[in-house]
Coordinates of all heavy atoms in Angstrom, one line a residue:
M1 N 0.8 -1.2 0.0 CA 0.0 0.0 0.0 C 0.9 1.3 0.0 O 1.8 1.4 0.8 CB -0.9 0.0 1.3 CG -1.8 1.2 1.4 SD -3.0 0.9 2.7 CE -2.6 2.4 3.7
L2 N 0.6 2.1 -1.0 CA 1.4 3.4 -1.0 C 0.4 4.5 -1.1 O -0.4 4.6 -2.0 CB 2.2 3.3 -2.3 CG 3.3 4.4 -2.5 CD1 4.3 4.3 -1.3 CD2 4.0 4.2 -3.8
V3 N 0.5 5.4 -0.1 CA -0.5 6.5 0.0 C 0.3 7.8 0.3 O 1.2 7.8 1.1 CB -1.4 6.2 1.2 CG1 -2.6 7.3 1.2 CG2 -2.0 4.8 1.3
N4 N -0.2 8.8 -0.3 CA 0.3 10.2 0.0 C -0.5 10.6 1.2 O -1.7 11.0 1.1 CB 0.1 11.1 -1.2 CG 0.6 12.5 -0.9 OD1 1.0 12.8 0.2 ND2 0.5 13.4 -1.8
S5 N 0.1 10.6 2.4 CA -0.7 10.9 3.6 C -1.2 12.4 3.6 O -2.2 12.7 4.2 CB 0.2 10.7 4.9 OG 1.3 11.6 4.9
K6 N -0.5 13.2 2.8 CA -1.0 14.6 2.7 C -2.4 14.6 2.0 O -3.2 15.5 2.3 CB -0.1 15.4 1.8 CG 1.2 15.8 2.5 CD 1.1 17.1 3.3 CE 2.3 17.3 4.2 NZ 3.5 17.7 3.4
E7 N -2.7 13.7 1.2 CA -4.0 13.6 0.5 C -5.1 13.4 1.6 O -6.1 14.1 1.6 CB -4.0 12.5 -0.5 CG -5.3 12.5 -1.3 CD -5.3 11.4 -2.4 OE1 -4.2 11.0 -2.8 OE2 -6.4 11.0 -2.8
I8 N -4.8 12.5 2.5 CA -5.8 12.2 3.5 C -6.0 13.4 4.5 O -7.1 13.8 4.8 CB -5.4 10.9 4.3 CG1 -5.6 9.7 3.4 CG2 -6.2 10.7 5.6 CD1 -4.5 8.6 3.5
V9 N -4.8 13.9 4.9 CA -4.9 15.1 5.8 C -5.6 16.3 5.2 O -6.4 16.9 5.8 CB -3.4 15.4 6.3 CG1 -3.4 16.7 7.0 CG2 -2.8 14.3 7.1
L10 N -5.2 16.6 3.9 CA -5.8 17.7 3.2 C -7.3 17.5 3.0 O -8.1 18.5 3.2 CB -5.1 18.0 1.9 CG -3.9 18.8 2.0 CD1 -3.1 18.8 0.7 CD2 -4.1 20.3 2.4
K11 N -7.7 16.3 2.7 CA -9.2 16.0 2.6 C -9.9 16.3 3.9 O -11.0 16.9 3.9 CB -9.3 14.5 2.2 CG -9.9 14.3 0.8 CD -10.1 12.8 0.6 CE -9.7 12.5 -0.8 NZ -9.5 11.0 -1.0
E12 N -9.3 15.8 5.0 CA -10.0 16.0 6.3 C -10.0 17.5 6.7 O -11.0 18.0 7.2 CB -9.2 15.3 7.4 CG -9.2 13.8 7.2 CD -9.9 13.1 8.4 OE1 -10.1 13.8 9.5 OE2 -10.1 11.9 8.3
L13 N -8.9 18.2 6.4 CA -8.9 19.7 6.7 C -9.9 20.4 5.8 O -10.6 21.3 6.3 CB -7.5 20.2 6.5 CG -6.4 19.9 7.5 CD1 -5.1 20.4 7.1 CD2 -6.8 20.4 8.9
L14 N -10.0 20.0 4.6 CA -11.0 20.7 3.7 C -12.4 20.5 4.2 O -13.1 21.5 4.3 CB -10.8 20.1 2.3 CG -11.8 20.7 1.2 CD1 -11.6 22.2 1.1 CD2 -11.6 20.0 -0.1
D15 N -12.7 19.3 4.6 CA -14.1 19.0 5.1 C -14.3 19.8 6.4 O -15.4 20.3 6.6 CB -14.3 17.5 5.4 CG -14.6 16.8 4.1 OD1 -15.0 17.4 3.1 OD2 -14.4 15.6 4.0
R16 N -13.3 19.8 7.3 CA -13.5 20.5 8.5 C -13.6 22.0 8.4 O -14.3 22.7 9.2 CB -12.3 20.1 9.4 CG -12.5 20.4 10.9 CD -11.3 20.1 11.7 NE -11.0 18.7 11.8 CZ -9.9 18.2 12.5 NH1 -9.2 19.0 13.2 NH2 -9.6 17.0 12.4
Y17 N -12.8 22.6 7.5 CA -12.7 24.1 7.5 C -13.4 24.7 6.3 O -13.3 25.9 6.0 CB -11.2 24.5 7.4 CG -10.5 24.2 8.8 CD1 -9.7 23.1 8.9 CD2 -10.7 25.1 9.8 CE1 -9.1 22.9 10.1 CE2 -10.1 24.9 11.0 CZ -9.3 23.8 11.2 OH -8.7 23.5 12.4
I18 N -14.3 23.9 5.6 CA -14.9 24.4 4.4 C -15.7 25.7 4.7 O -15.7 26.6 3.9 CB -15.7 23.3 3.6 CG1 -15.9 23.7 2.2 CG2 -17.1 23.0 4.3 CD1 -15.7 22.6 1.2
P19 N -16.4 25.8 5.9 CA -17.2 27.0 6.1 C -16.3 28.3 6.2 O -16.7 29.4 5.8 CB -17.8 26.8 7.4 CG -17.8 25.3 7.7 CD -16.6 24.9 7.0
Q20 N -15.0 28.1 6.6 CA -14.1 29.2 6.8 C -13.4 29.6 5.5 O -12.7 30.6 5.4 CB -13.0 28.9 7.8 CG -13.5 29.1 9.3 CD -13.9 27.8 9.9 OE1 -14.7 27.0 9.3 NE2 -13.3 27.4 11.0
L21 N -13.5 28.7 4.5 CA -12.8 29.0 3.2 C -13.6 29.9 2.3 O -13.0 30.4 1.3 CB -12.5 27.7 2.5 CG -11.4 26.8 3.2 CD1 -11.3 25.4 2.5 CD2 -10.1 27.4 3.4
H22 N -14.8 30.1 2.6 CA -15.7 31.1 1.8 C -15.6 30.8 0.3 O -15.4 31.7 -0.5 CB -15.3 32.5 2.1 CG -15.3 32.9 3.5 ND1 -16.4 32.9 4.3 CD2 -14.3 33.2 4.4 CE1 -16.1 33.2 5.5 NE2 -14.8 33.4 5.6
M23 N -15.8 29.5 0.0 CA -15.8 29.2 -1.4 C -17.1 29.6 -2.1 O -18.2 29.5 -1.4 CB -15.6 27.7 -1.6 CG -14.2 27.2 -1.3 SD -14.1 25.4 -1.3 CE -14.4 25.1 -3.1
K24 N -17.0 30.1 -3.3 CA -18.2 30.5 -4.0 C -19.1 29.3 -4.3 O -20.3 29.4 -4.3 CB -17.7 31.1 -5.4 CG -18.6 32.2 -5.9 CD -17.8 32.9 -7.0 CE -18.8 33.4 -8.1 NZ -18.0 33.9 -9.2
C25 N -18.6 28.2 -4.5 CA -19.3 27.0 -4.8 C -18.6 25.8 -4.1 O -17.4 25.8 -4.1 CB -19.4 26.7 -6.3 SG -20.0 25.1 -6.7
T26 N -19.4 24.9 -3.5 CA -18.8 23.8 -2.8 C -19.3 22.5 -3.4 O -19.4 21.5 -2.6 CB -19.1 23.8 -1.3 OG1 -20.5 23.9 -1.1 CG2 -18.4 25.0 -0.6
C27 N -19.5 22.5 -4.7 CA -20.0 21.2 -5.3 C -18.8 20.2 -5.3 O -17.6 20.6 -5.1 CB -20.5 21.4 -6.7 SG -19.3 21.7 -8.0
R28 N -19.1 19.0 -5.6 CA -18.0 17.9 -5.7 C -16.9 18.3 -6.5 O -15.7 18.1 -6.2 CB -18.7 16.7 -6.2 CG -18.0 15.4 -6.1 CD -19.0 14.3 -6.6 NE -19.7 14.7 -7.9 CZ -19.2 14.6 -9.1 NH1 -18.0 14.0 -9.3 NH2 -19.8 15.0 -10.2
V29 N -17.2 18.9 -7.7 CA -16.1 19.3 -8.7 C -15.2 20.4 -8.1 O -14.0 20.2 -8.2 CB -16.7 19.7 -10.0 CG1 -15.7 20.2 -11.0 CG2 -17.6 18.6 -10.6
C30 N -15.8 21.4 -7.5 CA -15.0 22.5 -7.0 C -14.1 22.0 -5.8 O -13.0 22.4 -5.7 CB -15.9 23.7 -6.6 SG -16.5 24.5 -8.0
K31 N -14.7 21.2 -4.9 CA -14.0 20.7 -3.8 C -12.8 19.9 -4.3 O -11.7 20.0 -3.7 CB -14.9 19.8 -2.9 CG -15.6 20.7 -1.8 CD -16.7 20.0 -1.2 CE -16.4 18.9 -0.3 NZ -17.6 18.3 0.4
N32 N -13.0 19.0 -5.3 CA -11.9 18.2 -5.8 C -10.8 19.1 -6.5 O -9.6 18.8 -6.4 CB -12.4 17.3 -6.9 CG -12.7 15.9 -6.3 OD1 -12.2 15.6 -5.2 ND2 -13.6 15.2 -7.0
D33 N -11.3 20.2 -7.1 CA -10.3 21.1 -7.7 C -9.4 21.8 -6.7 O -8.2 21.9 -6.8 CB -11.0 22.2 -8.5 CG -11.5 21.7 -9.9 OD1 -11.0 20.6 -10.3 OD2 -12.2 22.4 -10.6
V34 N -10.0 22.2 -5.5 CA -9.3 22.8 -4.4 C -8.3 21.7 -3.9 O -7.1 22.1 -3.7 CB -10.2 23.2 -3.3 CG1 -9.4 23.7 -2.1 CG2 -11.1 24.4 -3.8
L35 N -8.7 20.5 -3.8 CA -7.9 19.4 -3.3 C -6.7 19.2 -4.2 O -5.5 19.1 -3.8 CB -8.7 18.2 -3.1 CG -8.3 17.2 -2.0 CD1 -8.1 17.8 -0.7 CD2 -9.4 16.1 -1.9
A36 N -7.0 19.1 -5.5 CA -5.9 18.9 -6.5 C -4.9 20.0 -6.5 O -3.7 19.7 -6.5 CB -6.6 18.7 -7.9
L37 N -5.4 21.2 -6.5 CA -4.5 22.4 -6.5 C -3.6 22.3 -5.3 O -2.4 22.6 -5.3 CB -5.3 23.7 -6.5 CG -5.7 24.3 -7.8 CD1 -6.5 25.6 -7.6 CD2 -4.4 24.7 -8.6
S38 N -4.2 22.1 -4.1 CA -3.5 22.0 -2.9 C -2.5 20.9 -2.8 O -1.3 21.1 -2.4 CB -4.5 21.8 -1.7 OG -5.4 22.9 -1.7
L39 N -2.8 19.8 -3.3 CA -1.9 18.6 -3.3 C -0.7 18.9 -4.3 O 0.4 18.5 -4.0 CB -2.6 17.4 -3.8 CG -3.4 16.7 -2.6 CD1 -4.3 15.6 -3.1 CD2 -2.4 16.0 -1.7
N40 N -1.0 19.6 -5.3 CA 0.1 20.0 -6.2 C 1.1 20.9 -5.6 O 2.3 21.0 -6.0 CB -0.4 20.6 -7.5 CG -1.0 19.5 -8.5 OD1 -0.6 18.3 -8.3 ND2 -1.9 19.9 -9.4
R41 N 0.6 21.7 -4.6 CA 1.5 22.7 -4.0 C 2.1 22.2 -2.7 O 3.1 22.7 -2.3 CB 0.6 24.0 -3.7 CG 0.1 24.5 -5.1 CD -0.9 25.6 -4.8 NE -0.2 26.8 -4.3 CZ -0.8 27.9 -3.9 NH1 -2.1 27.9 -3.7 NH2 -0.2 28.9 -3.5
A42 N 1.5 21.2 -2.1 CA 2.0 20.7 -0.8 C 3.0 19.6 -1.1 O 2.9 18.9 -2.1 CB 0.9 20.2 0.0
E43 N 4.1 19.6 -0.3 CA 5.1 18.6 -0.4 C 4.4 17.2 -0.2 O 3.8 17.0 0.9 CB 6.1 18.8 0.6 CG 7.4 18.0 0.5 CD 8.4 18.8 -0.4 OE1 8.0 19.8 -1.1 OE2 9.5 18.4 -0.4
P44 N 4.5 16.2 -1.1 CA 3.9 14.9 -0.8 C 4.6 14.2 0.4 O 5.8 14.5 0.6 CB 4.0 14.2 -2.1 CG 5.1 14.8 -2.9 CD 5.2 16.2 -2.4
A45 N 3.9 13.4 1.1 CA 4.5 12.6 2.2 C 3.9 11.2 2.1 O 3.0 10.8 2.7 CB 4.1 13.3 3.5
Y46 N 4.6 10.4 1.2 CA 4.2 9.0 1.0 C 4.5 8.1 2.2 O 5.6 8.2 2.8 CB 4.8 8.5 -0.3 CG 4.1 9.0 -1.5 CD1 4.6 10.1 -2.2 CD2 2.9 8.4 -1.9 CE1 3.9 10.6 -3.3 CE2 2.2 8.9 -3.0 CZ 2.8 10.0 -3.7 OH 2.1 10.5 -4.8
V47 N 3.5 7.3 2.5 CA 3.7 6.3 3.6 C 3.3 4.9 3.0 O 2.6 4.9 2.0 CB 2.9 6.6 4.8 CG1 3.4 7.9 5.5 CG2 1.4 6.7 4.5
T48 N 3.8 3.9 3.7 CA 3.6 2.5 3.1 C 2.7 1.7 3.9 O 2.4 0.5 3.5 CB 4.9 1.8 3.0 OG1 5.6 1.9 4.2 CG2 5.8 2.4 1.9
D49 N 2.2 2.1 5.1 CA 1.2 1.3 5.8 C 0.2 2.1 6.5 O 0.4 3.3 6.7 CB 2.0 0.3 6.7 CG 2.7 1.0 7.8 OD1 1.9 1.5 8.7 OD2 3.9 1.1 7.8
K50 N -0.9 1.4 6.9 CA -2.0 2.1 7.5 C -1.7 2.8 8.8 O -2.3 3.8 9.1 CB -3.1 1.1 7.7 CG -4.0 0.9 6.5 CD -5.1 -0.1 6.7 CE -5.9 -0.4 5.5 NZ -6.7 -1.6 5.6
K51 N -0.8 2.2 9.6 CA -0.4 2.7 10.9 C 0.2 4.1 10.7 O -0.1 5.0 11.5 CB 0.6 1.9 11.6 CG 0.0 0.8 12.4 CD 1.1 0.1 13.2 CE 0.7 -1.4 13.4 NZ 1.8 -2.3 13.5
K52 N 0.9 4.3 9.6 CA 1.6 5.6 9.4 C 0.5 6.6 8.9 O 0.7 7.8 9.2 CB 2.7 5.5 8.4 CG 3.9 4.8 9.0 CD 5.0 4.6 8.0 CE 6.2 3.8 8.7 NZ 7.1 3.3 7.7
V53 N -0.5 6.2 8.2 CA -1.6 7.1 7.9 C -2.3 7.6 9.1 O -2.5 8.8 9.3 CB -2.6 6.4 6.9 CG1 -3.8 7.3 6.7 CG2 -1.9 6.1 5.6
A54 N -2.5 6.6 10.0 CA -3.2 7.0 11.3 C -2.3 8.0 12.1 O -2.8 9.0 12.6 CB -3.4 5.8 12.2
Y55 N -1.0 7.8 12.0 CA -0.1 8.7 12.7 C -0.2 10.1 12.1 O -0.2 11.1 12.7 CB 1.3 8.2 12.6 CG 2.4 9.0 13.3 CD1 2.5 9.1 14.6 CD2 3.2 9.8 12.5 CE1 3.4 9.9 15.2 CE2 4.2 10.7 13.1 CZ 4.3 10.7 14.5 OH 5.2 11.5 15.0
A56 N -0.2 10.2 10.7 CA -0.3 11.4 10.0 C -1.6 12.2 10.4 O -1.6 13.4 10.6 CB -0.2 11.2 8.5
K57 N -2.7 11.4 10.5 CA -3.9 12.0 10.9 C -3.9 12.5 12.3 O -4.4 13.6 12.6 CB -5.1 11.0 10.8 CG -5.6 10.8 9.3 CD -6.6 9.7 9.3 CE -8.0 10.2 9.1 NZ -8.9 9.0 8.8
A58 N -3.3 11.8 13.2 CA -3.1 12.2 14.6 C -2.4 13.5 14.7 O -2.7 14.3 15.5 CB -2.5 11.1 15.4
E59 N -1.4 13.7 13.8 CA -0.6 14.9 13.8 C -1.4 16.1 13.4 O -1.0 17.2 13.7 CB 0.5 14.7 12.8 CG 1.8 14.2 13.4 CD 3.0 14.5 12.5 OE1 2.9 14.5 11.3 OE2 4.1 14.7 13.1
M60 N -2.6 15.9 12.8 CA -3.5 17.0 12.5 C -3.9 17.8 13.6 O -4.3 19.0 13.5 CB -4.7 16.5 11.7 CG -4.4 16.1 10.3 SD -5.9 15.9 9.4 CE -7.2 16.0 10.6
V61 N -3.9 17.2 14.8 CA -4.3 18.0 16.0 C -3.2 19.1 16.3 O -3.5 20.0 17.1 CB -4.6 17.2 17.2 CG1 -5.8 16.3 17.0 CG2 -3.4 16.3 17.6
D62 N -2.0 18.9 15.7 CA -1.0 19.9 15.9 C -1.3 21.1 15.0 O -1.0 21.1 13.8 CB 0.4 19.2 15.5 CG 1.5 20.2 15.8 OD1 1.3 21.4 15.8 OD2 2.7 19.7 15.9
K63 N -1.8 22.1 15.6 CA -2.3 23.3 14.9 C -1.2 24.0 14.1 O -1.4 24.5 13.0 CB -2.9 24.3 15.8 CG -4.3 23.9 16.2 CD -5.2 25.1 16.3 CE -6.7 24.6 16.5 NZ -7.0 24.8 18.0
Q64 N 0.0 24.0 14.6 CA 1.1 24.7 13.9 C 1.4 24.0 12.6 O 1.7 24.7 11.6 CB 2.4 24.6 14.8 CG 2.3 25.5 16.0 CD 3.3 26.6 15.9 OE1 4.5 26.4 16.2 NE2 3.0 27.8 15.5
K65 N 1.4 22.7 12.6 CA 1.7 22.0 11.3 C 0.5 22.2 10.3 O 0.7 22.1 9.1 CB 1.9 20.5 11.6 CG 3.2 20.2 12.2 CD 3.5 18.8 12.4 CE 4.9 18.6 13.0 NZ 5.0 17.3 13.6
N66 N -0.7 22.4 10.9 CA -1.8 22.6 10.0 C -1.9 23.9 9.3 O -2.4 24.1 8.3 CB -3.1 22.4 10.8 CG -3.4 21.0 11.1 OD1 -2.9 20.1 10.4 ND2 -4.3 20.7 12.0
T67 N -1.3 24.9 10.0 CA -1.4 26.3 9.5 C -0.9 26.4 8.1 O -1.6 27.0 7.2 CB -0.6 27.2 10.4 OG1 -1.1 27.0 11.8 CG2 -0.9 28.7 10.1
A68 N 0.2 25.8 7.8 CA 0.8 25.9 6.4 C -0.2 25.3 5.4 O -0.4 25.8 4.3 CB 2.1 25.3 6.4
L69 N -0.8 24.1 5.8 CA -1.7 23.4 4.9 C -3.0 24.2 4.7 O -3.6 24.3 3.6 CB -2.0 22.0 5.4 CG -0.8 21.0 5.3 CD1 -1.3 19.7 5.9 CD2 -0.4 20.8 3.9
L70 N -3.4 24.9 5.8 CA -4.6 25.7 5.7 C -4.4 26.9 4.8 O -5.3 27.3 4.1 CB -5.1 26.1 7.1 CG -5.9 25.0 7.9 CD1 -6.1 25.5 9.3 CD2 -7.2 24.7 7.2
V71 N -3.2 27.5 4.8 CA -2.9 28.6 4.0 C -3.0 28.1 2.5 O -3.6 28.8 1.7 CB -1.5 29.2 4.3 CG1 -1.1 30.2 3.2 CG2 -1.5 29.9 5.6
I72 N -2.4 26.9 2.2 CA -2.5 26.4 0.9 C -4.0 26.1 0.5 O -4.4 26.5 -0.6 CB -1.7 25.1 0.8 CG1 -0.2 25.4 0.9 CG2 -1.9 24.4 -0.5 CD1 0.7 24.2 1.0
L73 N -4.7 25.6 1.4 CA -6.2 25.3 1.1 C -6.9 26.6 0.8 O -7.7 26.7 -0.2 CB -6.8 24.6 2.3 CG -6.8 23.1 2.3 CD1 -7.5 22.6 3.6 CD2 -7.4 22.4 1.1
A74 N -6.7 27.7 1.6 CA -7.3 28.9 1.4 C -7.0 29.6 0.1 O -7.8 30.1 -0.6 CB -7.0 29.9 2.6
E75 N -5.7 29.5 -0.3 CA -5.3 30.1 -1.5 C -5.9 29.3 -2.7 O -6.3 29.9 -3.7 CB -3.7 30.1 -1.6 CG -3.1 31.1 -0.8 CD -1.6 31.0 -0.6 OE1 -1.0 30.1 -1.3 OE2 -1.0 31.8 0.1
S76 N -5.9 28.0 -2.6 CA -6.5 27.2 -3.7 C -8.0 27.4 -3.8 O -8.6 27.5 -4.9 CB -6.3 25.7 -3.4 OG -4.9 25.4 -3.3
A77 N -8.7 27.6 -2.6 CA -10.1 27.9 -2.6 C -10.4 29.2 -3.3 O -11.4 29.3 -4.1 CB -10.7 27.9 -1.2
A78 N -9.5 30.2 -3.1 CA -9.7 31.5 -3.7 C -9.5 31.4 -5.2 O -10.3 32.0 -6.0 CB -8.7 32.5 -3.1
I79 N -8.6 30.6 -5.7 CA -8.3 30.5 -7.1 C -9.5 29.8 -7.8 O -10.0 30.2 -8.8 CB -7.0 29.6 -7.3 CG1 -5.8 30.4 -6.9 CG2 -6.9 29.2 -8.8 CD1 -4.5 29.6 -6.8
V80 N -10.0 28.7 -7.1 CA -11.2 28.0 -7.7 C -12.4 28.9 -7.7 O -13.2 28.8 -8.6 CB -11.4 26.7 -7.0 CG1 -12.7 26.0 -7.4 CG2 -10.2 25.7 -7.2
S81 N -12.6 29.7 -6.7 CA -13.8 30.6 -6.6 C -13.8 31.6 -7.7 O -14.8 31.9 -8.3 CB -13.8 31.3 -5.2 OG -14.2 30.4 -4.2
V82 N -12.6 32.1 -8.0 CA -12.5 33.1 -9.1 C -12.6 32.5 -10.4 O -13.2 33.0 -11.4 CB -11.1 33.9 -8.9 CG1 -10.9 34.8 -10.2 CG2 -11.1 34.7 -7.7
N83 N -12.1 31.3 -10.5 CA -12.0 30.6 -11.8 C -12.5 29.2 -11.8 O -11.7 28.3 -11.8 CB -10.5 30.7 -12.3 CG -10.4 30.3 -13.8 OD1 -11.4 30.2 -14.5 ND2 -9.2 30.2 -14.3
P84 N -13.8 29.0 -11.6 CA -14.3 27.6 -11.4 C -14.2 26.8 -12.7 O -14.1 27.3 -13.8 CB -15.8 27.8 -11.1 CG -16.1 29.2 -11.5 CD -14.9 30.0 -11.6
S85 N -14.0 25.5 -12.5 CA -13.9 24.6 -13.6 C -15.1 24.6 -14.5 O -16.2 24.9 -14.1 CB -13.7 23.2 -13.0 OG -14.2 22.2 -13.9
E86 N -14.9 24.3 -15.8 CA -16.0 24.2 -16.7 C -17.0 23.0 -16.3 O -18.1 22.9 -16.8 CB -15.5 24.0 -18.1 CG -14.7 22.8 -18.4 CD -14.3 22.6 -19.8 OE1 -15.1 22.5 -20.7 OE2 -13.0 22.5 -20.0
F87 N -16.5 22.1 -15.5 CA -17.3 21.0 -15.0 C -18.0 21.3 -13.7 O -18.7 20.4 -13.2 CB -16.4 19.7 -14.9 CG -15.7 19.4 -16.1 CD1 -14.3 19.5 -16.2 CD2 -16.4 19.0 -17.3 CE1 -13.6 19.2 -17.4 CE2 -15.7 18.7 -18.4 CZ -14.3 18.8 -18.5
C88 N -17.9 22.5 -13.2 CA -18.5 22.9 -11.9 C -20.0 22.6 -12.1 O -20.6 23.0 -13.1 CB -18.3 24.3 -11.6 SG -19.3 24.9 -10.2
E89 N -20.6 22.0 -11.1 CA -22.0 21.6 -11.2 C -23.0 22.7 -11.0 O -24.2 22.6 -11.3 CB -22.3 20.5 -10.1 CG -21.7 19.2 -10.5 CD -21.7 18.1 -9.3 OE1 -22.1 18.5 -8.2 OE2 -21.3 17.0 -9.6
T90 N -22.6 23.9 -10.5 CA -23.5 25.0 -10.4 C -23.1 26.2 -11.3 O -23.6 27.3 -11.1 CB -23.5 25.5 -8.9 OG1 -22.3 26.0 -8.6 CG2 -23.9 24.4 -8.0
R91 N -22.1 25.9 -12.2 CA -21.7 27.0 -13.0 C -22.8 27.5 -13.9 O -23.4 26.7 -14.6 CB -20.5 26.6 -13.8 CG -19.9 27.7 -14.6 CD -18.6 27.2 -15.2 NE -18.2 28.1 -16.3 CZ -16.9 28.5 -16.6 NH1 -16.0 28.0 -15.9 NH2 -16.6 29.3 -17.6
E92 N -23.0 28.8 -14.0 CA -24.1 29.4 -14.8 C -23.6 29.4 -16.3 O -22.5 29.7 -16.6 CB -24.4 30.8 -14.3 CG -25.3 30.7 -13.1 CD -25.4 32.1 -12.4 OE1 -25.4 33.1 -13.2 OE2 -25.4 32.1 -11.2
G93 N -24.6 29.2 -17.1 CA -24.4 29.3 -18.6 C -23.4 28.3 -19.1 O -22.9 28.4 -20.2
A94 N -23.3 27.2 -18.4 CA -22.4 26.1 -18.8 C -23.0 25.3 -20.0 O -24.2 25.3 -20.1 CB -22.1 25.1 -17.7
Ligands
LIG1 ZN1 -18.8 24.1 -8.3

């Protein structure tokens, strides 16, 4: 098993902080776009077993480590809000 633990952590942070990100649209497509942008910008942290994923998740309670990821999420959310994907489910005139 090979997993980018950042993917799991960023997913959790996105779900937890979505009200604070003030996204124009929070459909499945826009949320995935924010996640993809964020993952491209965050340093990947691959792990090879489930225990290490659990450890990475446990580290999320460490607010200092989260701050950098939350900044990345906020910046990505702003980009997607300004420029939503053509596949956005609520995009007008699509
Ligand atoms: Zn959308």
Side-chain angles (χ1 to χ4, degrees):
M1 179 171 124
L2 192 58
V3 189
N4 181 359
S5 64
K6 284 277 172 68
E7 185 177 338
I8 290 143
V9 170
L10 277 167
K11 246 182 221 164
E12 294 242 349
L13 285 175
L14 179 61
D15 281 339
R16 195 184 296 182
Y17 290 99
I18 204 139
Q20 281 99 304
L21 292 175
H22 305 294
M23 287 171 67
K24 213 167 145 190
C25 169
T26 54
C27 79
R28 190 175 44 86
V29 176
C30 288
K31 273 163 71 175
N32 267 338
D33 280 350
V34 171
L35 209 50
L37 271 177
S38 301
L39 278 166
N40 284 337
R41 299 171 74 189
E43 194 89 346
Y46 282 96
V47 295
T48 49
D49 67 70
K50 277 184 186 163
K51 271 184 210 151
K52 286 177 185 163
V53 172
Y55 179 76
K57 276 173 109 173
E59 271 200 324
M60 283 191 351
V61 293
D62 184 338
K63 283 221 174 96
Q64 287 243 282
K65 283 184 183 160
N66 282 343
T67 307
L69 290 178
L70 280 170
V71 169
I72 292 174
L73 273 178
E75 286 171 1
S76 304
I79 291 167
V80 172
S81 289
V82 171
N83 193 8
S85 153
E86 61 179 299
F87 303 111
C88 170
E89 289 170 354
T90 66
R91 186 171 162 143
E92 285 167 33

